[in-house]
Amino acid sequence: MTISHGAQHEDADPFRERSGPVSSVRRQILGGDFRFDSASAALLGVVETAYAGLPSHRLPAAAPTFRIELRLLPRRAPSPGDEPPPVRMQSGAGLLCGVMDTSNYVVLAPAQRQALVVASEDMLDRPYHLRYELVEFAVFTLATRGLGLVPLHGACVGRQGRGVLLLGASGSGKSTLALHSLLHGLDFLAEDAVFVQPEGLLATGVANYLHVQADALGRVDDRAARHWLDRSPRIRRRSGVEKFEADLRLGPGRLAATPLELAGAVFVSAEAAADADALLSPVRAGEVAARLRAGQSYAMAQPGWDRFERQLIRRGVHELRRGGHVRDAVAALHGLLDGSR
């Protein structure tokens, strides 16, 4: 029987523990010190594309180190469809897993602050899914568990160290409001995922990309900003909705240089305000907790949720209805941050 050198290698290293020379990239993300190790320059390039040029947010406590190993597998046979299978979650023995298929998955050991991200070469042709569903999944999950953060589906903008949390159902206009807040002088913290330290309501995020639908272009008056959005690549969400993926590091406005202390939260509504001069209205005390928890099922299961919820309610929660132009809503946010309401 003839055994090829490749077969000998697989028998000697069935778990691929010897992957060859490894390089590293280190980034300060969400208050943690992340080290990415890989023998693949292409995968480290994905990390750089995601996190290079971002403000290095630091939280009051010392930044722990998280280690993420990235491993590239050979290209698979072409699979049907335009997108990879959705990630399925699993856990056991202190490990968390997110699995697309046998060649694309994430294994996390939160107690050890480590993760393994495995991707096939063909995923390099799908950079949005590779970054968002594998690499960022590992970063966000390790940071949430290792730093005790509350992970929220929402956006956040602010100024002078204070921020306002933008919440609301999909399609309510959070991303569009975040975009116009950026264009009208507010600091941009995050558009899709916000991570809050419950003790001091310090919010952090990853301000790398903004996702808006094409109809948002018609409401952007600045020609340079429209050009920035229009030349951005388009991605397709799992829901089927197409959006521009605009790199915030290449666009106008300011990214929040430090975590923002939340001054309160706003539920963004798609409904028009009855009074164009009164877009903001306080949410009734008896409704606040239920509305905060709606759409935040994962966040409310985290250990810091109760402290976060109590403190945010004390700071103030409002509903923001639409005015004649989105800049009217931005002016209302300025008012909240100024403490005038």
Side-chain angles (χ1 to χ4, degrees):
M1 180 175 68
T2 302
I3 300 177
S4 69
H5 292 296
Q8 289 177 330
H9 174 72
E10 289 181 2
D11 289 344
D13 186 21
F15 295 102
R16 293 181 170 86
E17 295 171 275
R18 297 182 289 278
S19 56
V22 171
S23 298
S24 298
V25 168
R26 296 190 81 150
R27 294 289 173 201
Q28 188 82 15
I29 309 168
L30 301 176
D33 178 17
F34 280 82
R35 191 183 90 188
F36 300 87
D37 299 327
S38 184
S40 166
L43 287 180
L44 290 178
V46 172
V47 171
E48 287 286 72
T49 299
Y51 302 115
L54 292 174
S56 297
H57 285 189
R58 298 183 183 276
L59 297 170
T65 298
F66 300 93
R67 179 174 176 264
I68 297 179
E69 181 181 346
L70 303 109
R71 184 168 298 176
L72 190 64
L73 297 185
R75 183 176 292 271
R76 303 169 301 170
S79 57
D82 295 329
E83 61 181 29
V87 174
R88 293 165 294 167
M89 310 297 183
Q90 190 56 267
S91 67
L95 302 175
L96 305 177
C97 302
V99 180
M100 279 184 180
D101 55 34
T102 56
S103 298
N104 297 279
Y105 54 88
V106 180
V107 181
L108 302 107
Q112 287 74 43
R113 298 179 178 141
Q114 296 189 63
L116 170 67
V117 176
V118 176
S120 55
E121 288 180 325
D122 49 296
M123 283 297 290
L124 296 171
D125 302 328
R126 294 162 169 169
Y128 168 72
H129 292 289
L130 173 56
R131 187 196 79 242
Y132 186 71
E133 298 187 347
L134 295 178
V135 177
E136 289 192 355
F137 169 71
V139 169
F140 288 170
T141 305
L142 286 180
T144 296
R145 302 297 176 95
L147 295 165
L149 303 177
V150 175
L152 299 161
H153 175 57
C156 185
V157 295
R159 67 176 182 181
Q160 297 178 345
R162 304 181 77 221
V164 59
L165 185 62
L166 308 180
L167 304 171
S170 179
S172 62
K174 296 188 301 296
S175 296
T176 300
L177 178 55
L179 166 63
H180 283 269
S181 297
L182 173 76
L183 299 179
H184 290 86
L186 292 181
D187 296 340
F188 193 103
L189 182 88
E191 172 253 333
D192 189 53
V194 181
F195 299 82
V196 180
Q197 189 183 51
E199 290 77 12
L201 286 191
L202 282 178
T204 182
V206 176
N208 49 9
Y209 296 100
L210 171 72
H211 299 95
V212 292
Q213 295 187 51
D215 60 5
L217 284 175
R219 287 171 253 169
V220 175
D221 300 326
D222 183 80
R223 181 179 298 178
R226 280 202 311 272
H227 181 62
W228 164 60
L229 290 169
D230 196 34
R231 70 185 179 188
S232 300
R234 295 191 182 215
I235 57 95
R236 184 183 293 273
R237 296 283 204 185
R238 290 287 187 180
S239 63
V241 175
E242 272 199 359
K243 294 192 173 187
F244 289 111
E245 184 173 68
D247 192 329
L248 288 158
R249 294 158 291 185
L250 303 177
R254 296 187 307 268
L255 304 184
T258 62
L260 300 177
E261 182 180 350
L262 293 179
V266 161
F267 286 101
V268 181
S269 172
E271 296 181 10
D275 183 352
D277 295 323
L279 305 188
L280 277 172
S281 58
V283 178
R284 287 186 293 185
E287 299 177 2
V288 172
R291 291 195 63 174
L292 283 175
R293 297 180 184 206
Q296 305 289 347
S297 55
Y298 179 68
M300 60 182 285
Q302 301 306 306
W305 174 266
D306 289 340
R307 283 170 290 159
F308 159 78
E309 184 180 73
R310 286 194 300 269
Q311 294 212 65
L312 189 64
I313 291 173
R314 291 193 198 106
R315 303 280 173 99
V317 178
H318 292 75
E319 183 172 59
L320 177 63
R321 291 185 172 86
R322 293 192 177 183
H325 192 281
V326 70
R327 61 175 165 262
D328 299 330
V330 177
L333 296 184
H334 274 278
L336 272 181
L337 291 166
D338 289 340
S340 61
R341 296 190 65 92

